[in-house]
């Protein structure tokens, strides 16, 4: 599955902003920020995982409160 390298990359991004976090905290962050796919697959609710990986949401949630994200507009 191509999901494994995507999740590994997302975990590495989170680790880069929260080096003190262990594996459990990173996993919890990824799971908490996944986009639900249940509405798109009503016959498969609870059978296809927690949802779609949302890297932006996971990294944003992991950022320390004092971190400022620069805008490149």
């Amino acid at each position: 599955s191509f999901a494994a390298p995507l999740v590994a990359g997302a975990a590495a991004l989170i680790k880069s902003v929260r080096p003190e976090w262990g594996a459990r905290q990173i996993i919890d962050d990824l799971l908490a920020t996944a986009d639900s796919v249940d509405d798109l697959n009503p016959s498969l609710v609870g059978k296809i995982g927690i949802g779609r990986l949302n890297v932006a949401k996971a990294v944003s949630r992991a950022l320390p409160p004092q971190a400022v994200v620069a805008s490149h507009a």
Side-chain angles (χ1 to χ4, degrees), residues 40-66:
L40 302 171
N41 304 285
S43 64
L44 299 173
V45 172
K47 297 178 183 174
I48 56 173
I50 196 83
R52 183 176 47 227
L53 181 64
N54 188 326
V55 178
K57 193 188 301 184
V59 172
S60 293
R61 183 174 184 254
L63 284 172
Q66 70 277 11

